[in-house]
Amino acid sequence: MLNNLILVLNCGSSSIKFSILNPNTEKKYLSGLVECLFLKKTYIKWEYLGVKYKKCVGSNISHEYALNFIFKEVLSKIENIYNNIIGIGHRVVHGGEKIKESILVNHEVIDLIKQAILFAPLHNPANLIGIKIVINQFPHLSKKNVAVFDTSFYQKMPKTSFLYAIPYIFYKKHHIRRYGAHGISHNYVSHVASVMLNKDFDSLNIITCHLGNGASISAIRNGVCVDTSMGLTPLEGLVMGTRSGDIDPSVIFFMYKKLGINIDKINHILTQESGLLGLSGVSSDFRYLEKNYLSNKQVKLSVDIFCYRLSKYISSYMCLMDKKLDSLVFTGGIGENVPLIRDITLSKLSIMGFKINIKKNILIKNGKSGLITIKNSIPVLVIPTNEELLIAKETIKIIS
Ligand code: ADP
């Protein structure tokens, strides 16, 4: 039945993801992606009831144009779907310090999202464009737009986790602190884990690893996130596709002062040229890295460093728990699909109580979820993330 539908919109800096689903039945009717905004050719791909479509939208396409294209060329052509949308959920990357949970969009919320542009200069403006266009497109639903934030999952972290050891004034006056990212995904998989483990969320002690192009890890103690690896921006923490993750800040001074590299270029190096790509020298795509792990020394080194950093974070987060860890969870494109990194990482952690089931580990990928450890191990779960579903559930909860 096409009713109680929620439109979920995720406007990124150069892409737009959209989907329409019923959060109660969890059935997804439509999902789509517009890629390569502002480039030579922008494509839109979508899937409606299992049938896939692809079209070229044009060249140098803006968010506004692409969103209008989605409404005119996709949504309005699907019988009954348009009229059965009862709410819209917007993924918003940064809510600053004040927004602590998902919230109905109004002028005040829009102002707070604007204020947080400082910390997410590529994403928050795109999120705001999405909100504005949708309110124009669905005037009857103007009070049914909900903003779901990646940062809100981290709002209960203690100061001991979120403060940097720099003069306190930088936090007080300029709000420089760790905010975290990927919160919607960590939140979603930790709720699924509580169901799979048959444990109350409020007493759940788990560590969740979201490993995609961006990668982050969160520690959840008694249902509350107490630490995460991303910081003021998503550059801190684990080794990522093209981001360095943790480095000594002196590397930046060295590049600037001794090597004469300007600040914008250093930013580009650390965000676009580092991580797996920088170390391997060939690719950040794990489909390639996995295939060439044994034959290419540099690829092997990059993957080993990725797993080494991850295992260090996992073991340090285990110390944040007040009782035995209930589970470790892998999610994201790499976490869900690359048995190799789960194997290498867990083998480094055998002393902490992780023992992999090699067969299960190899079998669980491509959208499958399940346990990949043997009986006397701390359970390790693979759980495909579903951020759209969490956004849709939050949206219906708030608009009802
Ligand atoms: P994003 O952070 O952009 O959402 P994803 O979660 O989609 O990223 O993850 C992208 C990463 O996952 C890439 O490194 C990609 O190579 C890897 N990946 C996705 N699917 C597979 C697969 N089937 N096998 C190996 N690696 C995969």
Side-chain angles (χ1 to χ4, degrees), residues 11-186:
C11 285
S13 50
S14 63
S15 70
I16 299 173
K17 288 185 191 151
F18 58 97
S19 55
I20 294 185
L21 58 159
N22 181 325
N24 300 322
T25 61
E26 302 192 357
K27 184 169 170 58
K28 194 189 276 182
Y29 292 90
L30 172 78
S31 63
L33 171 68
V34 183
E35 277 180 305
C36 305
L37 293 171
F38 307 108
L39 294 182
K40 248 190 180 166
K41 271 198 175 143
T42 298
Y43 284 95
I44 176 169
K45 291 183 219 163
W46 73 97
E47 184 171 341
Y48 176 61
L49 294 177
V51 185
K52 291 183 177 164
Y53 305 84
K54 184 176 176 182
K55 243 184 181 178
C56 179
V57 187
S59 57
N60 198 21
I61 294 299
S62 66
H63 288 88
E64 287 89 342
Y65 187 93
L67 283 164
N68 284 316
F69 189 94
I70 294 168
F71 298 134
K72 276 204 194 93
E73 299 297 322
V74 182
L75 263 62
S76 61
K77 295 203 168 149
I78 301 174
E79 213 179 326
N80 282 332
I81 228 172
Y82 216 84
N83 301 331
N84 284 305
I85 295 172
I86 59 162
I88 296 128
H90 299 267
R91 183 208 194 143
V92 182
V93 164
H94 216 296
E97 277 220 290
K98 293 197 180 126
I99 298 181
K100 308 234 177 269
E101 52 197 17
S102 306
I103 193 164
L104 211 54
V105 173
N106 58 25
H107 290 301
E108 203 189 333
V109 171
I110 288 176
D111 276 347
L112 290 171
I113 299 172
K114 278 186 191 157
Q115 285 171 31
I117 287 176
L118 200 59
F119 303 118
L122 296 180
H123 291 93
N124 273 26
N127 301 152
L128 284 165
I129 293 171
I131 291 171
K132 190 174 141 206
I133 303 250
V134 161
I135 290 176
N136 277 339
Q137 188 69 29
F138 297 87
H140 61 296
L141 296 176
S142 64
K143 298 214 163 69
K144 305 280 181 189
N145 282 261
V146 173
V148 181
F149 295 86
D150 264 310
T151 44
S152 54
F153 189 57
Y154 306 115
Q155 286 295 322
K156 290 185 183 151
M157 287 197 314
K159 276 192 174 163
T160 43
S161 302
F162 76 66
L163 281 183
Y164 292 113
I166 58 177
Y168 197 67
I169 188 82
F170 287 102
Y171 167 60
K172 275 302 257 189
K173 207 166 167 205
H174 303 288
H175 312 285
I176 294 179
R177 50 161 283 184
R178 305 179 62 252
Y179 288 98
H182 288 150
I184 297 171
S185 176
H186 287 280

Side-chain angles (χ1 to χ4, degrees), residues 17 182 210-215 241 243 276 284-288 290 332-338 365-366 385 387:
K17 288 185 191 151
H182 288 150
H210 176 106
L211 311 174
N213 283 317
R243 285 173 244 165
L276 292 161
S284 63
D285 188 337
F286 246 101
R287 279 167 280 235
Y288 178 89
E290 196 181 18
I334 299 167
E336 293 166 26
N337 294 303
V338 189
K365 55 182 180 177
N366 300 329
T385 195
E387 289 154 303

